[in-house]
Amino acid sequence: MPIRAGFELSLLQILFALGFASAAFAAGANGPIAQHQQLTWEHDAPWFGGLSGVEMRADGKQLTAISDRGRIIVADLSRDALGTLTGIEIIHSVALRDKNGAVMDKPEADAEGLAIAPDGSIFISYEGDHRIARTNLADGTPLQFIAPPEGALLRDNAGFEALAVDATGALYALPEDNRGDQIPLYKYQDGTWRIAAYLENDSPFVPVGADFDDEGRLYLLERTVTPLGFRTRLRRIELSGDQASAVTLLQTLPARYDNLEALTVWRDAIGRTRVMMISDDNFLSVQETQVIELTITQ
């Protein structure tokens, strides 16, 4: 989601927030996160930025990402012998298109969630004109449209930002705007939407990214905005029938990271669960496209 004007950080506020940075990685201290890497992704093209969804190839050496200004990209990743990320090179980029094949503009182009099914099908959720589209990676054209479930709370600039697909190919979506004490987890399978479970809505954090690991556990990236900067929370959710139990893996204080919105989970060559998160820079010079990689040990 593009963050709209509503606050500005003064230099004093930024310095104050940065003073908390060393304490912000709370869940990582003697917790489930054993390794942390952070780098800034730069690319010299006017369309680069606003990354809001990402999926990793199983070997951790290639990613697919979407921009909230209507673009899908594929990039190769360079890693050293220990699997540490050393470089990112875009190898494919194409504008997303409407049903008539025309390049989209705002608000229709506001792509937010990305999920790739086991059969390779690519699904993208959009805000502005709320919908999910199965998409052709080669030329960015839609192959199928899925209307949102009836009754879903999908407001302007706050739709299905968190989109994931499980091992059976079922789609899961969470709306960003949740004003009750529960967050509905919607499931789409065999042409029908239903509510698979409810998650407790116990904080100012809202869902912005989601992905399943190879054990069927749902990882949920959440964000909130404060006058001191962005805060991030990462939770892992176990689904059993219509019940959901969550554990917090990461929760930061303001300004530890930029506007993290994109999430992907995979298992590396030595069996470790790896998480990548990418920030949406809102195409602003005061922000950046951060790439965060975590290794989960529990």
Side-chain angles (χ1 to χ4, degrees), residues 263-298:
L263 172 74
T264 185
V265 182
W266 81 103
R267 193 174 297 278
D268 67 18
I270 60 175
R272 301 175 300 181
T273 298
R274 304 284 292 273
V275 172
M276 175 182 282
M277 301 177 289
I278 302 179
S279 66
D280 173 359
D281 69 353
N282 293 300
F283 291 89
L284 297 175
S285 61
V286 296
Q287 293 183 249
E288 59 185 13
T289 302
Q290 292 178 348
V291 180
I292 312 299
E293 281 206 331
L294 309 175
T295 301
I296 308 297
T297 61
Q298 301 176 12

Side-chain angles (χ1 to χ4, degrees), residues 76-99:
D76 283 342
L77 308 181
S78 302
R79 297 183 180 275
D80 64 18
L82 298 177
T84 302
L85 184 63
T86 58
I88 307 176
E89 180 183 2
I90 294 175
I91 61 171
H92 174 70
S93 167
V94 66
L96 295 168
R97 299 175 181 271
D98 64 18
K99 62 182 179 180

Side-chain angles (χ1 to χ4, degrees), residues 43 46 60 69 102 108 125 135 149 151 168 177-178 186 191-192 199 214 242 250 262 272 286 291 295:
H43 182 73
R69 291 195 182 177
E108 288 77 14
S125 59
T135 302
T168 71
D177 191 347
N178 295 286
Y186 291 97
T192 302
L199 309 181
D214 57 2
D242 61 356
L250 171 70
R272 301 175 300 181
V286 296
V291 180
T295 301

